[in-house]
Amino acid sequence: MAETPRPDPKRDPHEDLRIAESQISAILTIAADAIISLDQRFRITLFNEGATAVFGYTPDEIIGHPLERLIPERFRAIHPSHVADFDAASVAARKMGERQEIFALRKDGTEFAAEASIAKHQVGGKKIYMVVLRDVTERKRTEAALALANTELEKRIAARTRDLEAEIRRREETQAALIQSQRMEAFGQLTGGVAHDFNNLLTIVTGNLELLATEIRDESASTYLKRATDAADMGAALTKRLLTFARRRRLTPQVVDVNELVLGLTEMLKRSLGEPITLTTILAGKLWRTRADPSELENAILNLALNARDAMPSGGQLVIETRNVSTSETAGPPVLAAGDYVLVCATDTGEGMAPDVLEKAFEPFFTTKEQGRGTGLGLSTIYGFAEQSGGHATITSAPSMGTTVSLYLPRADAAGEPVPAAGPSEPVPLSENAETVLVVEDNPDVRELTLQRVEGLGYVVQEAENGPDAIRFLKANEHVDLVLSDIMMMGGMSGYDLARWIKTEMPHIRVVLTTGYAAEEAQQDPAGLVDAPILYKPYARADLATTLHTALHASASPV
Ligand SMILES: Nc1ncnc2c1ncn2[C@@H]1O[C@H](COP(=O)(O)OP(=O)(O)OP(=O)(O)O)[C@@H](O)[C@H]1O
Ligand SMILES: [Mg+2]
């Protein structure tokens, strides 16, 4: 700002005043901002054209009125204290933007955001206030729109970056998986060729040994012959595994219910794992069936359990899980064709694998176990079996983080694939009269699975979540022949309690109890009143079938 020129004593002071007046009047006319003057009682004494444009009042309408008119109702109460603050302050003026933004009121009653400067001065002992006010509504709107556009843009950039990163990762994974599968393919070719020739040779050796056996009577010669035959048999077993890896074994795929297969194996698995390892199964309800060679699948699961045992010398946990998985271009192992698969995973809490071990684990003859303990063919046969079945196998593992081996097996009951009504072929007693079984279980997954298994045996199934729920169901006069209930249930009523209630209230209904606890740990029926048969989880299909059948056909009520 230029300094006010000092009065020149030679000049006419009236003329200076006229010049100043006309300058001020021009400023008031051309200023786009509202310029308002107030007397010391805050009455409006000057209202320029800018003010008319901003507020909508003509000077005639507003001059002489209190400033209050231009302040929204909700700020009127606080306004005097702002004025008092400014009056008390030593500064003579406050410039725009120095104070927080304010809100002003137009003639039409609408509010708008504004910025204001204020100056006070004293003339002849009276205070005069000058206010310059600017409507910043438009600027605020633009700022807000800009901020929104900016955050939108940032969000879009972040999302795009994430997509790109995911895509890069995906490509790297696909590349690595492809290289791995090509390597396995090459190994397969090589191993397959050798194994095939070897098998022919072994067939000749065994055949001739058999012929020789019919000729030889001499006892010591028979011993030599036996040793040779045993060695040839071992060789044959080895070549069989090699051929499996090379996908040249003749497999006999069948439609398999993997849950039943796993349940049928649990006893044997527990025995092979030994005491310090706990085995848990998490089996999906409504699991699709797969088409695979059941005995090879059993072998695979057994081999996984043995690997887990070796990785947990001082104990741990092995979890075998089944699940339905639909893979697509972007979900699931990159080399696996998109489609529906039954997934079987074995997860242990063992020592895990270092990256260099992980990379080679599927290769035939790769083992980190001491001589005589491992042949290094376990995982390679599993790999070959999964591939030949139209599926895939993967390992996730890190040192001291445990290991998960996943087997993807193709879904069998997808469109067009006929599914046999019954599960595995072993003969089990099925329902004779389509009796009704009420399944009482509080874990929804286990309940779903149990319902499916009981239904698979030819029974009509009903379900209840807990004891009180079951009693309500039975009291509603629903026809039930047998109640299959878990012992440990939430909700304060155990399977024993339920069994006792049935014994007194509805003695014609048979009861079978199940429990996940070992016999010794299962809380005994405190009153000793219930002698219902107990199925210990996990139980095989045959056990379930026999127990239900026996309970229903025993002459006296078993409860
Ligand atoms: N669950 C696991 N935890 C940690 N390492 C494992 C696990 N499973 C396999 N491995 C590693 O992978 C190697 C190869 O396993 P694979 O089952 O093919 O052969 P093996 O167990 O050594 O011998 P075989 O199974 O023929 O008796 C193992 O020697 C071990 O180093
Ligand atoms: Mg092994």
Side-chain angles (χ1 to χ4, degrees):
M1 266 263 194
E3 263 182 45
T4 325
R6 280 170 187 283
D8 180 348
K10 277 172 269 157
R11 291 186 56 176
D12 172 6
H14 293 291
E15 174 156 353
D16 279 352
L17 203 60
R18 274 200 303 279
I19 294 173
E21 263 175 9
S22 82
Q23 281 172 335
I24 288 172
S25 136
I27 291 172
L28 290 175
T29 312
I30 61 172
D33 291 340
I35 301 176
I36 301 166
S37 183
L38 306 165
D39 64 14
Q40 63 181 359
R41 288 163 60 210
F42 284 90
R43 270 179 213 289
I44 297 165
T45 54
L46 183 143
F47 206 73
N48 76 333
E49 284 176 35
T52 300
V54 171
F55 285 97
Y57 291 105
T58 62
D60 288 350
E61 287 173 319
I62 197 79
I63 284 180
H65 288 280
L67 176 67
E68 298 250 294
R69 284 262 182 119
L70 307 180
I71 300 174
E73 184 89 42
R74 58 199 174 106
F75 296 116
R76 283 186 196 158
I78 191 132
H79 189 250
S81 82
H82 283 166
V83 174
D85 279 357
F86 177 59
D87 270 345
S90 56
V91 290
R94 269 201 183 115
K95 294 201 193 101
M96 267 192 202
E98 262 182 32
R99 300 209 37 176
Q100 71 203 83
E101 63 181 303
I102 56 169
F103 287 91
L105 187 67
R106 292 193 190 91
K107 183 183 171 186
D108 64 9
T110 52
E111 267 183 36
F112 63 96
E115 268 178 10
S117 308
I118 183 159
K120 60 181 176 196
H121 44 168
Q122 214 142 359
V123 182
K126 286 184 180 165
K127 269 191 198 143
I128 294 178
Y129 299 91
M130 288 295 293
V131 179
V132 179
L133 183 139
R134 182 173 297 165
D135 180 347
V136 293
T137 313
E138 201 45 48
R139 200 187 75 205
K140 292 265 157 210
R141 198 176 295 146
T142 319
E143 276 172 8
L146 202 66
L148 191 72
N150 265 338
T151 32
E152 271 304 304
L153 194 67
E154 273 165 21
K155 267 193 222 153
R156 291 227 311 257
I157 290 174
R160 185 84 193 103
T161 312
R162 267 198 309 279
D163 287 355
L164 269 174
E165 281 168 359
E167 177 63 24
I168 291 170
R169 224 175 305 122
R170 177 91 195 148
R171 282 192 192 181
E172 282 171 358
E173 277 168 21
T174 312
Q175 188 66 19
L178 209 64
I179 291 172
Q180 171 75 356
S181 93
Q182 280 164 353
R183 257 185 41 202
M184 297 304 284
E185 187 65 40
F187 273 120
Q189 296 269 343
L190 192 72
T191 325
V194 174
H196 185 76
D197 290 351
F198 215 73
N199 217 20
N200 285 342
L201 295 176
L202 278 172
T203 314
I204 300 169
V205 172
T206 338
N208 282 295
L209 286 175
E210 260 172 38
L211 291 178
L212 205 58
T214 58
E215 307 275 314
I216 288 180
R217 300 281 168 270
D218 178 353
E219 198 167 305
S220 66
S222 294
T223 312
Y224 300 142
L225 196 66
K226 168 121 188 8
R227 281 187 204 152
T229 313
D230 286 350
D233 286 347
M234 276 164 69
L238 199 66
T239 28
K240 205 168 107 180
R241 297 180 80 181
L242 287 176
L243 286 169
T244 308
F245 167 66
R247 287 178 269 149
R248 297 219 196 155
R249 264 285 299 291
R250 188 166 305 139
L251 297 179
T252 3
Q254 287 172 27
V255 174
V256 181
D257 180 336
V258 181
N259 282 348
E260 289 300 344
L261 185 133
V262 170
L263 286 166
L265 275 177
T266 47
E267 268 317 304
M268 197 220 297
L269 290 177
K270 277 186 179 160
R271 270 200 306 277
S272 341
L273 288 169
E275 267 300 307
I277 296 174
T278 51
L279 172 70
T280 313
T281 50
I282 304 176
L283 306 177
K286 297 207 166 81
L287 187 72
W288 298 325
R289 292 174 196 235
T290 183
R291 171 171 278 281
D293 185 321
S295 62
E296 277 305 313
L297 180 54
E298 284 186 353
N299 256 336
I301 294 171
L302 188 61
N303 264 311
L304 290 179
L306 294 179
N307 279 351
R309 180 201 61 192
D310 293 347
M312 299 187 282
S314 44
Q317 274 205 38
L318 172 63
V319 179
I320 298 181
E321 190 181 351
T322 60
R323 222 182 317 142
N324 292 333
V325 198
S326 295
T327 64
S328 65
E329 295 282 294
T330 50
V335 290
L336 193 60
D340 290 343
Y341 295 88
V342 173
L343 177 63
V344 197
C345 299
T347 301
D348 64 54
T349 55
E351 61 204 13
M353 297 183 216
D356 58 325
V357 174
L358 179 60
E359 195 183 319
K360 294 201 171 70
F362 277 137
E363 288 173 13
F365 301 114
F366 175 81
T367 178
T368 57
K369 291 167 193 171
E370 63 202 54
Q371 188 118 41
R373 282 222 43 212
T375 57
L377 284 173
L379 286 175
S380 38
T381 38
I382 291 173
Y383 184 89
F385 158 68
E387 292 280 325
Q388 194 177 345
S389 308
H392 189 58
T394 63
I395 310 174
T396 319
S397 183
S400 69
M401 295 295 289
T403 300
T404 299
V405 180
S406 306
L407 289 187
Y408 293 81
L409 297 168
R411 176 183 183 178
D413 39 13
E417 188 92 26
V419 178
S425 52
E426 87 228 67
V428 295
L430 301 176
S431 164
E432 288 174 15
N433 308 307
E435 293 94 340
T436 300
V437 176
L438 175 66
V439 174
V440 191
E441 165 70 62
D442 55 3
N443 179 317
D445 292 334
V446 176
R447 187 168 67 237
E448 184 58 48
L449 179 69
T450 311
L451 286 168
Q452 205 181 349
R453 300 179 84 196
V454 174
E455 200 172 23
L457 294 170
Y459 296 97
V460 175
V461 287
Q462 296 289 358
E463 60 185 300
E465 207 179 305
N466 50 39
D469 208 21
I471 290 178
R472 259 193 303 282
F473 187 87
L474 294 172
K475 276 185 177 166
N477 286 327
E478 300 281 352
H479 172 78
V480 170
D481 298 293
L482 185 147
V483 171
L484 175 63
S485 170
D486 195 32
I487 292 179
M488 304 297 194
M489 284 183 296
M490 309 291 280
M493 189 173 194
S494 75
Y496 290 125
D497 299 331
L498 178 62
R500 270 197 304 279
W501 185 89
I502 292 171
K503 186 177 178 178
T504 39
E505 303 292 326
M506 299 188 163
H508 61 282
I509 298 178
R510 309 296 163 99
V511 178
V512 172
L513 296 173
T514 67
T515 179
Y517 292 85
E520 322 78 65
E521 291 169 53
Q523 191 198 343
Q524 276 305 307
D525 168 30
L529 289 171
V530 176
D531 56 354
I534 298 180
L535 270 169
Y536 292 96
K537 290 188 222 172
Y539 42 81
R541 182 171 181 265
D543 292 336
L544 175 67
T546 315
T547 311
L548 292 181
H549 193 268
T550 313
L552 280 166
H553 296 92
S555 50
S557 166
V559 180

